[in-house]
Amino acid sequence: MKNMTNLRTLYLQRKQEGIVQSMAELGERLWPDSPRESMLQNVHKLFSGKTKRIDLDWIPIICHWLKIDANTLFQNYQEDEK
């Protein structure tokens, strides 16, 4: 999603702060019923910006995991719309 702040950058900041550990943690929360290999592929796509869509149900999960609000996740959304 073009308006979403770089998720990888947010992840690296939060990891450095000791808030999160691995990207796989998020994958386990987003796709708990997926086989591990599929979940890891989905995580890779999400963090590399290759995900074709962001499910709205993912937003609160991502925000809770990173301990951020949606405004931080979607930084500059309104500015991009102008």
Side-chain angles (χ1 to χ4, degrees):
M1 189 170 214
K2 79 174 193 160
N3 293 321
M4 190 159 78
T5 298
N6 186 330
L7 185 58
R8 181 178 293 278
T9 300
L10 288 170
Y11 160 71
L12 292 173
Q13 289 170 349
R14 301 315 253 174
K15 185 175 181 181
Q16 186 176 19
E17 295 166 357
I19 300 205
V20 297
Q21 297 300 314
S22 76
M23 293 177 189
E25 291 175 340
L26 180 59
E28 291 166 354
R29 293 174 187 214
L30 293 176
W31 303 284
D33 300 325
S34 292
R36 184 150 179 88
E37 186 174 319
S38 296
M39 180 270 297
L40 291 174
Q41 288 175 355
N42 289 335
V43 166
H44 174 73
K45 288 179 183 178
L46 181 64
F47 280 90
S48 65
K50 295 179 181 174
T51 300
K52 294 183 186 214
R53 68 175 181 80
I54 301 292
D55 190 314
L56 292 178
D57 293 337
W58 298 354
I59 304 305
I61 295 169
I62 294 169
C63 290
H64 183 263
W65 181 65
L66 290 172
K67 307 280 189 273
I68 59 172
D69 61 24
N71 288 328
T72 302
L73 188 61
F74 291 96
Q75 184 177 354
N76 300 320
Y77 175 77
Q78 291 181 348
E79 291 175 16
D80 288 347
E81 292 296 311
K82 291 180 182 177

